[in-house]
Amino acid sequence: MNFNVINPYPFVYHFRDPQGVCFSIIKGKDKAIVVDCGYGIFNIRELIENYIDTPYMVICTHGHMDHSSGGFLFDKIYLPEKDIELYKKHNSVEKRTKNIMDALNKQLITDEYDKETYINMPLANYEIIEIGTVIDLGDMHVEIIAMEGHTKGSIGLLVKEHKLLFTGDAAISMIWMFLEESTDKATYIEMLKRVMKLDFTHFITGHLMTVFEKKIFEHYLEVAIEAKPENSERVTFHNFERPNTFQYAKKFNDLNIGICYQEPKE
Ligand SMILES: [Zn+2]
C-alpha cells in the first residue's frame, strides 16, 4: 500500500495514508514522538519503525478514529483527557465496520482482508497526556498545547526549539466544527487567538502534506468570525449528517479556507 511521505525538516517525517489522514514522526536524538496513528487498517507501526531507531511514544491529537484507531498496533498510546469518551466511541464495532466498508468500496483493501479482526480489535492500551506536558527528546522539547474546538479535547504539539506546531484537525484549512463533540464557534475563536500568541512560525495539519506559515492562522480566524448562515451554504456530509450544518469558505491566493459549523449549535 502506498503512503506519501515528506521530510520537510531533518527531524520530521510526515505521512498521508490512502484514506487521506496524516501522521508524523518528530525524531529527536534520544526519543521520538509519533503524532497520530491513522485508522489502523494498514500496519503503520511497521512503516514508522523503519524511520525510528530510538524509543518513541505515540500521541493522538484527538479521539477521532482517523487519528486514533491505529492505536492497537502499538504498545501504548497517549490521548487528551477530554477526548477519552470520544476515542472509545470512535473505536466501536459500528464505527470500525463503517470504516472497513468504506476502504473496501474505495478498493483500498480486497475481499481477502481480515475484516472481522479489525472490527473486533480491542481498544489500545492508553494513558492520558496532560496539557502543558513538556517531552524532552534529547535535542528538542515538545509541549502539549490545548486546542479545543474541532473536539473538546484536541491538542497541538509544539516543537519549541524549531517553532513548529502540529495541529491535527484543530487548525486546518476546512475545519469541521459541526460535530456533536465540537465546541461552539466562540470557544474555537478564542482558542485560535490564544494559540496565535505562542512562539511558532510554521505548522503541519492532520490531513494535508503541506507546511504552513503561521500567518494562515489569521485566515482561519477571519473565516470563523465572518461565517454566519446568511453568507454560508447549507451542507451535509455522508456518515456525518447533522441538522443546520453550514459551510463558509474563502480563497486566500491558492488556498481555500473554510469552516463547517452548526447553527444553532445543538
Ligand atoms: Zn478530527
Side-chain angles (χ1 to χ4, degrees):
M1 188 48 71
N2 282 332
F3 287 79
N4 291 326
V5 58
I6 56 170
N7 181 206
Y9 294 73
F11 61 93
V12 173
Y13 294 91
H14 184 63
F15 304 84
R16 193 161 188 260
D17 90 351
Q19 287 178 288
V21 68
C22 295
F23 49 94
S24 319
I25 299 170
I26 308 170
K27 193 172 170 173
K29 181 168 71 69
D30 301 331
K31 189 173 173 176
I33 293 174
V34 175
V35 184
D36 288 335
C37 51
Y39 285 102
I41 289 186
F42 310 106
N43 193 336
I44 67 156
R45 180 174 181 159
E46 280 176 9
L47 174 74
I48 65 138
E49 288 187 354
N50 290 328
Y51 292 81
I52 301 176
D53 42 22
T54 61
Y56 65 90
M57 58 197 289
V58 180
I59 303 179
C60 299
T61 56
H62 62 297
H64 281 157
M65 74 177 307
D66 49 340
H67 299 260
S68 70
S69 284
F72 61 72
L73 296 164
F74 297 91
D75 301 336
K76 190 205 278 189
I77 60 170
Y78 290 84
L79 289 160
E81 185 168 17
K82 287 184 184 162
D83 270 14
I84 297 290
E85 290 312 311
L86 179 64
Y87 164 70
K88 290 179 186 165
K89 200 167 134 191
H90 267 241
N91 281 271
S92 63
V93 166
E94 187 200 347
K95 284 275 188 194
R96 292 242 183 100
T97 304
K98 273 187 181 170
N99 186 41
I100 205 86
M101 293 317 292
D102 183 59
L104 198 59
N105 289 335
K106 289 177 179 156
Q107 298 183 327
L108 301 174
I109 55 168
T110 63
D111 274 327
E112 278 84 72
Y113 188 95
D114 185 356
K115 296 184 273 301
E116 282 307 307
T117 301
Y118 172 76
I119 289 166
N120 296 301
M121 194 61 80
L123 286 182
N125 178 26
Y126 69 86
E127 204 172 298
I128 288 165
I129 186 99
E130 304 282 354
I131 305 301
T133 302
V134 177
I135 302 151
D136 184 356
L137 302 186
D139 50 352
M140 63 188 90
H141 294 80
V142 176
E143 182 173 349
I144 305 300
I145 307 294
M147 290 191 72
E148 67 282 7
H150 173 63
T151 68
K152 293 179 182 71
S154 286
I155 55 170
L157 287 88
L158 176 61
V159 189
K160 293 167 85 85
E161 288 83 350
H162 298 282
K163 303 184 193 293
L164 175 66
L165 180 65
F166 288 82
T167 64
D169 290 354
I172 197 162
S173 296
M174 182 60 72
I175 190 153
W176 279 20
M177 288 292 305
F178 62 92
L179 305 165
E180 193 183 350
E181 57 271 23
S182 302
T183 69
D184 60 20
K185 201 142 57 72
T187 303
Y188 165 65
I189 288 169
E190 287 313 304
M191 179 281 288
L192 288 177
K193 288 179 179 169
R194 192 184 70 231
V195 171
M196 284 164 79
K197 290 182 191 151
L198 296 175
D199 189 16
F200 70 99
T201 61
H202 291 82
F203 67 99
I204 292 176
T205 70
H207 288 276
L208 298 170
M209 297 300 271
T210 308
V211 179
F212 293 100
E213 288 180 44
K214 183 183 191 173
K215 67 175 185 206
I216 301 299
F217 262 66
E218 289 167 23
H219 303 328
Y220 294 163
L221 190 60
E222 184 178 321
V223 160
I225 290 170
E226 286 180 7
K228 46 182 176 294
E230 299 88 85
N231 61 18
S232 305
E233 199 186 330
R234 249 180 211 280
V235 286
T236 188
F237 297 96
H238 179 57
N239 282 342
F240 298 93
E241 290 83 1
R242 300 264 290 152
N244 306 319
T245 304
F246 296 91
Q247 178 173 298
Y248 177 69
K250 268 172 98 166
K251 280 255 186 215
F252 296 87
N253 299 318
D254 291 344
L255 265 186
N256 192 39
I257 294 181
I259 181 168
C260 299
Y261 63 100
Q262 200 188 28
E263 198 157 308
K265 168 99 176 119
E266 280 182 339

